[in-house]
Amino acid sequence: MMKKLLSGQGTRAAQLAVSVAIGAVCVWVLTGQLSAGFWQDVTAELRGLDPLSVMLAACCTGLSFVALGRYDAVAHRHLGSDTPTLQACGAGTIAIALAQTLGLGVLTGALARWRMLPDISMALALRLSVFVCLTFMVALLVVTAVACVVFPSPAFMFWPSVIVVAALPAAVVGLYLCPVFTLGRFTVRLPSLRALASILLWTVIDVLAASTALYLLIPGGEVPFTVLFPLFLIALGSALLSGTPGGVGPFELVLFAALPGGASVQVLTGIIAFRAIYYAIPALIAMALMLRPYASVDAMAPRARGDIATAPRAEVGVIRQNGGFIADHSALWHCGQTLCALFDPLSNATPDPIATVSTHARDRNLIPALYKCSARTALLARQQGWFISHIADEAMLNPLQFITTTAPFRSLRRKLRAADKAQITISQVTPLPVSDMARVDELWQRARGGARGGTMGVFAPEYVAHQRVYLAHHKGRLVAFASFHETTREWCLDLMRQDPSAPDGTMHALIHAAIGDAATQGIARLSLAAVPACPDPSSALMVKLSQIAVRKTGGPGLRQFKSNFRPTWQPLYAAAPNRALLALTLVDIARAVHRPSTATNDTKSHYDDENYEVASRLAS
């Protein structure tokens, strides 16, 4: 351990020595270009600085540091530290004020954050520091590239800037498609698009304010702002990459090499004043503030969670396998760039589910959305300006009133007679025959060509242990099973697995047996789950395209199967703050369904009775 510590100290000392050497060389090159009497002229210019310009520069510095503190707010949300926003911003501002002046930004910033926030570990402080450093450098690269394309800039920067700007759409798509990647033994979760957009916004505010402060401090207005701004960004990037304390040397050298030679006295005057106002004074204030770190925050009051066992929608049990969680009486699911509130709230204790999901999404830098909610919740979303879309229809029936002797159930009676003739036996046993169920599941997947995940269940012993499972045997051999989520208020069909060689009517018999048991136990609501929404009849073209989309997703077969039980079809909706975000949400969900992450569950995901769960927008 001691050897590792000494080795780390040696590495940091070497890095500091290299940074200081780089700064010294740059300063040596710079001083070699100055004429005799240069410093006397600079001293005279400093004495003659306009007090109003100095005050405005100080205000711009304050604005820049407000933006700097917001980087940490985004970082804390990404890493899930639960640190109050004001403390996160304050500690971040102090850390950056010290780091940009002392050098070795990652380590210095981490130590400052660790000192100011007693509730975080040094490891988390380092992660925060690395996150802020890397994301700021990426945002600075983008802002610099755009500035060099839009404003006058050195010729050598034009084509690299064009390449960066042109690559932005591909980078965004790549980030969206691969939000998580594995690096050796570590799994890295990249910032969400919302987090990066926030970082980019605060970076623009930060560098605009900082460059304006420098511009105000250059006497005589010798350098136009449109010329100074891209050069300031290039100089800032060079200073950060060099790691020199305060960026001294590379920053000045870049500006002197690029700005007009006749304004060298004014430029150096502005830089010296800028370093005093933007670097030295904030660093001194930060050191003083570090003498009194933030008080430890008491353990957060436990949030109201809600109970799955009494939820009005039994399907909420799917969060047991997709990484979802319950907070404030809502079932929430992190899906790509989106945080979805699944179904309706678990109780009436959440009067505004839109506010709930919006708050939790903001705390995680994610897009808020509702998925598979009822018309009542969708109406609340529309009243708040959200865009809604009819995505699915849920098959609901009342077991207490379920009678198969009437004419509409002719087809179901035929299927049940076929199963009875084949001597299919339906049972519930404990413990479950997991190995036989796994065999049926594998045969099912082979026949269907793949697996589905997301809000569709996963066959796993620990998952079905929370469900009501019905088994179908044929000649003593398990040939099918069906599982149901259950609460005190509703049952919901989840898994349906069937050996392709099972006799006709086997699955119908399983569902029929469950309906009978639900009636015996006084359950008045049983859901056969959802199918893609029916085509919109208002447009012939939409009807045609929707029929194709629904057919491709297996909708007609599912609807026909469930229609044998004569359910009542209830519309389900998705909602998001606007049309574009809703489209992004549906793409996130479709990807989670069709390309389930192996990180959610160690077992294989499966085909659910809903098959392809997300209806095409055309079908809504």
Side-chain angles (χ1 to χ4, degrees), residues 138 142 163-178 190 193 196:
V138 171
V142 173
I163 292 172
V164 170
V165 172
L168 279 178
V172 171
V173 172
L175 176 64
Y176 174 69
L177 294 178
C178 301
L190 296 175
L193 293 178
L196 288 180

Coordinates of all heavy atoms in Angstrom, one line a residue, residues 138 142 163-178 190 193 196:
V138 N -14.9 18.4 -23.6 CA -15.7 18.0 -24.8 C -16.6 19.2 -25.2 O -16.6 19.5 -26.4 CB -16.6 16.8 -24.5 CG1 -17.6 16.5 -25.7 CG2 -15.7 15.5 -24.3
V142 N -16.5 21.6 -28.7 CA -17.6 21.9 -29.6 C -17.8 23.4 -29.7 O -17.9 23.9 -30.9 CB -18.9 21.2 -29.0 CG1 -20.1 21.7 -29.9 CG2 -18.8 19.7 -29.1
I163 N -14.6 19.7 -39.3 CA -14.7 18.3 -39.1 C -15.5 18.0 -37.8 O -16.4 17.1 -37.7 CB -13.4 17.6 -39.1 CG1 -12.7 17.6 -40.5 CG2 -13.4 16.2 -38.6 CD1 -11.3 17.2 -40.5
V164 N -15.2 18.7 -36.8 CA -15.8 18.6 -35.5 C -17.3 18.9 -35.6 O -18.1 18.1 -35.1 CB -15.2 19.4 -34.4 CG1 -16.0 19.4 -33.1 CG2 -13.7 19.0 -34.1
V165 N -17.6 20.0 -36.2 CA -19.0 20.4 -36.4 C -19.8 19.3 -37.2 O -20.9 18.9 -36.8 CB -19.2 21.8 -37.0 CG1 -20.6 22.1 -37.3 CG2 -18.6 22.8 -36.1
A166 N -19.2 18.8 -38.3 CA -19.8 17.8 -39.1 C -20.0 16.5 -38.4 O -21.0 15.8 -38.7 CB -19.0 17.6 -40.4
A167 N -19.1 16.2 -37.5 CA -19.2 14.9 -36.8 C -20.2 14.9 -35.6 O -20.5 13.9 -35.0 CB -17.8 14.5 -36.2
L168 N -20.7 16.1 -35.3 CA -21.6 16.2 -34.1 C -22.8 15.3 -34.2 O -23.1 14.6 -33.3 CB -22.0 17.7 -33.9 CG -21.0 18.6 -33.1 CD1 -21.5 20.0 -33.0 CD2 -20.7 18.0 -31.8
P169 N -23.6 15.4 -35.3 CA -24.7 14.5 -35.4 C -24.4 13.0 -35.2 O -25.1 12.3 -34.5 CB -25.3 14.8 -36.8 CG -24.8 16.1 -37.2 CD -23.4 16.2 -36.5
A170 N -23.3 12.6 -35.8 CA -22.9 11.2 -35.7 C -22.5 10.9 -34.2 O -22.9 9.8 -33.7 CB -21.7 10.8 -36.6
A171 N -21.9 11.8 -33.5 CA -21.5 11.6 -32.1 C -22.8 11.5 -31.2 O -22.8 10.7 -30.3 CB -20.6 12.8 -31.7
V172 N -23.8 12.4 -31.5 CA -25.0 12.3 -30.8 C -25.7 11.0 -30.9 O -26.2 10.4 -30.0 CB -25.9 13.5 -31.2 CG1 -27.3 13.3 -30.5 CG2 -25.3 14.8 -30.7
V173 N -25.8 10.5 -32.2 CA -26.4 9.2 -32.5 C -25.7 8.1 -31.8 O -26.3 7.2 -31.2 CB -26.5 9.0 -34.0 CG1 -27.0 7.6 -34.3 CG2 -27.5 10.0 -34.6
G174 N -24.3 8.2 -31.9 CA -23.5 7.1 -31.2 C -23.7 7.1 -29.7 O -23.8 6.0 -29.1
L175 N -23.8 8.3 -29.1 CA -24.1 8.4 -27.7 C -25.5 7.8 -27.3 O -25.6 7.1 -26.3 CB -24.0 9.8 -27.2 CG -24.3 10.1 -25.7 CD1 -23.3 9.4 -24.8 CD2 -24.3 11.6 -25.4
Y176 N -26.4 8.1 -28.2 CA -27.8 7.6 -28.0 C -27.9 6.1 -28.1 O -28.5 5.4 -27.3 CB -28.7 8.3 -28.9 CG -30.1 7.7 -28.9 CD1 -30.9 8.0 -27.8 CD2 -30.7 6.9 -29.9 CE1 -32.2 7.5 -27.7 CE2 -31.9 6.4 -29.8 CZ -32.7 6.7 -28.7 OH -33.9 6.1 -28.6
L177 N -27.2 5.5 -29.1 CA -27.2 4.1 -29.3 C -26.4 3.3 -28.3 O -26.7 2.2 -28.0 CB -26.8 3.8 -30.8 CG -27.7 4.3 -31.9 CD1 -27.1 4.0 -33.2 CD2 -29.1 3.7 -31.8
C178 N -25.3 3.9 -27.8 CA -24.4 3.2 -26.9 C -24.2 4.0 -25.6 O -23.1 4.6 -25.4 CB -23.1 2.9 -27.6 SG -23.2 1.9 -29.1
L190 N -22.3 6.7 -19.9 CA -22.0 8.0 -20.5 C -23.1 8.9 -20.0 O -24.2 8.5 -19.7 CB -21.9 7.9 -22.0 CG -20.8 7.1 -22.5 CD1 -20.9 7.0 -24.1 CD2 -19.4 7.7 -22.1
L193 N -28.1 12.7 -23.0 CA -28.1 13.8 -23.9 C -28.6 15.1 -23.1 O -28.1 16.2 -23.4 CB -29.1 13.5 -25.0 CG -28.6 12.4 -26.0 CD1 -29.7 12.2 -27.1 CD2 -27.3 12.8 -26.6
L196 N -25.5 16.4 -21.2 CA -24.6 17.0 -22.1 C -25.1 18.3 -22.6 O -24.3 19.3 -22.8 CB -24.2 16.1 -23.3 CG -23.4 14.9 -22.9 CD1 -23.1 14.0 -24.1 CD2 -22.1 15.3 -22.3

